[in-house]
Amino acid sequence: MKISSKCEYACLALIYLAEHFGDGLVKIQSIASTKKIPKKFLEQILIVLKQRGYVKSKKGASGGYRLALPPDKITLAEVIRLMDGALAPVESVSKYFYEPTPIEQEERLLGVFREIRDYVAARLERITFRDLISGGRSGESGPRSGKKTARSSG
Amino acid sequence: MKISSKCEYACLALIYLAEHFGDGLVKIQSIASTKKIPKKFLEQILIVLKQRGYVKSKKGASGGYRLALPPDKITLAEVIRLMDGALAPVESVSKYFYEPTPIEQEERLLGVFREIRDYVAARLERITFRDLISGGRSGESGPRSGKKTARSSG
DNA sequence: TTTAAAGTCTACTAAATATATAGACAAACT
DNA sequence: AGTTTGTCTATATATTTAGTAGACTTTAAA
């Protein structure tokens, strides 16, 4: 799991949109300048987020973007997987992006990586964009609400 | 943290050398063919491991490589950091490889990544190459020996 | 003392990935 | 009609990854 700039930008944009959830449409330009994201790069990112259903847009003057879902319905895990692929450190050990890698035969090593994948996935799946905005509940306190032992790894 | 092929090869080579610890020198060629690693690539990797003091070598006919330390003195964390850099998902949150990234200002997000870094680092620092060879203790049972709450993150 | 078998060193290359940028086009509002 | 905003496709550039090539050095055995 290595987060790319593209993925960081996607998170920043979603945080911005989450902070303005309910306020109507916001323009790419204001996301870009507020969060310091190259505008044309951001456009491409937003299209991906739109295709996946996280945001909606409207064209034309007075157009813009908004979240398609409430911030607490979008998890960090989903967004990182969408932008960067597997959360696992090696694809041999990825549920959603499996691919053979050189260490394929080393069961001990794979076991370690599987464990890390499970932790990382579980942690990121518990974080939503509501947890990431100032004013939202903190990721430390809140997650007790909801399924307690849910371990949906990936 | 995304493990490169180079790093996977380094781990495979060290596992092989750990399996032959005490048996004298082994040739690059046998590591390469047993573990299916491109030989010339492996040469470069072994030089890095040698510079860092994990292996020793001898030139000439009947030359070869051996571990410079017992397998339980080399941790997975060290090797991954050496080959791939930071264990953290973003460098903003890396202890040993800090660098600013776009999410620099998002404290909530950084907090999540810091937590992941801490877990990953602590986990990988508890695994040694003794744990990774067949016949070695398993990474699940043994680590109780030694400092219990040691959280040397990075 | 030559020769062969190793490791060492430096350079190069090819492909993939990451990080954008450019510009024409389409829709919506005024 | 004209301006503003999002959309789409292509291109560009840089970096990283994953190797390959070949000359050089050291060691031991013939």
Side-chain angles (χ1 to χ4, degrees):
Chain A
M1 207 203 66
K2 171 69 198 303
I3 307 298
S4 67
S5 296
K6 185 164 140 190
C7 185
E8 293 192 40
Y9 292 148
C11 291
L12 286 174
L14 288 171
I15 287 171
Y16 187 89
L17 291 171
E19 284 164 347
H20 292 80
F21 184 63
D23 299 357
L25 299 167
V26 302
K27 301 189 195 321
I28 293 182
Q29 183 56 59
S30 46
I31 306 176
S33 58
T34 304
K35 295 295 188 184
K36 308 239 185 67
I37 307 172
K39 191 191 165 206
K40 295 298 275 184
F41 198 13
L42 178 57
E43 289 178 6
Q44 297 176 9
I45 292 166
L46 287 168
I47 296 225
V48 173
L49 293 173
K50 184 186 175 182
Q51 287 166 348
R52 193 63 155 250
Y54 296 130
V55 300
K56 292 195 168 174
S57 67
K58 197 182 156 199
K59 285 183 175 183
S62 82
Y65 274 91
R66 64 180 179 83
L67 284 190
L69 285 61
D72 64 333
K73 296 303 179 201
I74 306 176
T75 70
L76 240 194
E78 290 165 2
V79 173
I80 293 175
R81 283 207 189 90
L82 174 62
M83 306 308 295
D84 280 355
L87 300 181
V90 297
E91 285 83 353
S92 271
V93 122
S94 170
K95 262 186 181 162
Y96 301 158
F97 301 87
Y98 171 84
E99 231 181 303
T101 71
I103 56 171
E104 197 73 3
Q105 304 311 317
E106 302 295 331
E107 268 308 323
R108 299 277 178 97
L109 197 47
L110 291 182
V112 174
F113 289 151
R114 242 177 240 120
E115 204 188 301
I116 288 174
R117 173 208 64 191
D118 287 345
Y119 174 87
V120 170
R123 189 75 190 91
L124 293 178
E125 272 157 10
R126 278 196 296 126
I127 303 290
T128 74
F129 279 82
R130 177 172 157 204
D131 304 319
L132 296 178
I133 59 184
S134 48
R137 71 176 183 203
S138 122
E140 302 310 309
S141 56
R144 228 157 284 295
S145 62
K147 53 249 169 148
K148 195 171 45 183
T149 33
R151 294 260 140 199
S152 49
S153 54
Chain B
M1 206 203 68
K2 171 67 197 305
I3 307 297
S4 66
S5 296
K6 185 163 141 192
C7 185
E8 293 193 40
Y9 291 148
C11 291
L12 287 174
L14 288 171
I15 286 171
Y16 187 90
L17 290 171
E19 284 164 349
H20 292 80
F21 184 62
D23 298 359
L25 299 167
V26 303
K27 300 188 196 322
I28 293 182
Q29 183 55 60
S30 47
I31 306 174
S33 57
T34 304
K35 295 296 188 182
K36 308 237 185 68
I37 306 172
K39 190 192 165 206
K40 294 297 276 184
F41 199 14
L42 177 57
E43 288 179 6
Q44 297 177 7
I45 292 166
L46 287 168
I47 296 225
V48 173
L49 293 173
K50 184 186 174 182
Q51 287 167 347
R52 192 58 87 96
Y54 296 131
V55 301
K56 291 195 170 176
S57 66
K58 197 183 156 198
K59 285 184 174 182
S62 81
Y65 273 91
R66 63 181 180 83
L67 283 191
L69 286 61
D72 63 334
K73 297 301 180 203
I74 306 175
T75 71
L76 239 194
E78 289 164 2
V79 174
I80 294 174
R81 282 207 190 90
L82 175 61
M83 306 309 295
D84 281 354
L87 300 179
V90 298
E91 284 83 354
S92 270
V93 122
S94 171
K95 261 186 182 165
Y96 302 159
F97 301 87
Y98 171 83
E99 233 182 302
T101 71
I103 56 171
E104 198 73 2
Q105 305 312 318
E106 301 296 330
E107 268 309 323
R108 299 279 177 96
L109 197 47
L110 291 181
V112 174
F113 289 151
R114 241 176 241 123
E115 203 188 300
I116 288 173
R117 174 207 64 189
D118 287 345
Y119 174 87
V120 170
R123 189 76 191 90
L124 293 177
E125 271 156 10
R126 278 197 296 126
I127 303 290
T128 74
F129 280 83
R130 177 172 158 203
D131 304 319
L132 296 178
I133 58 184
S134 50
R137 71 177 184 200
S138 122
E140 302 311 312
S141 56
R144 227 158 285 296
S145 62
K147 53 255 170 136
K148 194 170 50 184
T149 31
R151 295 257 140 201
S152 49
S153 52

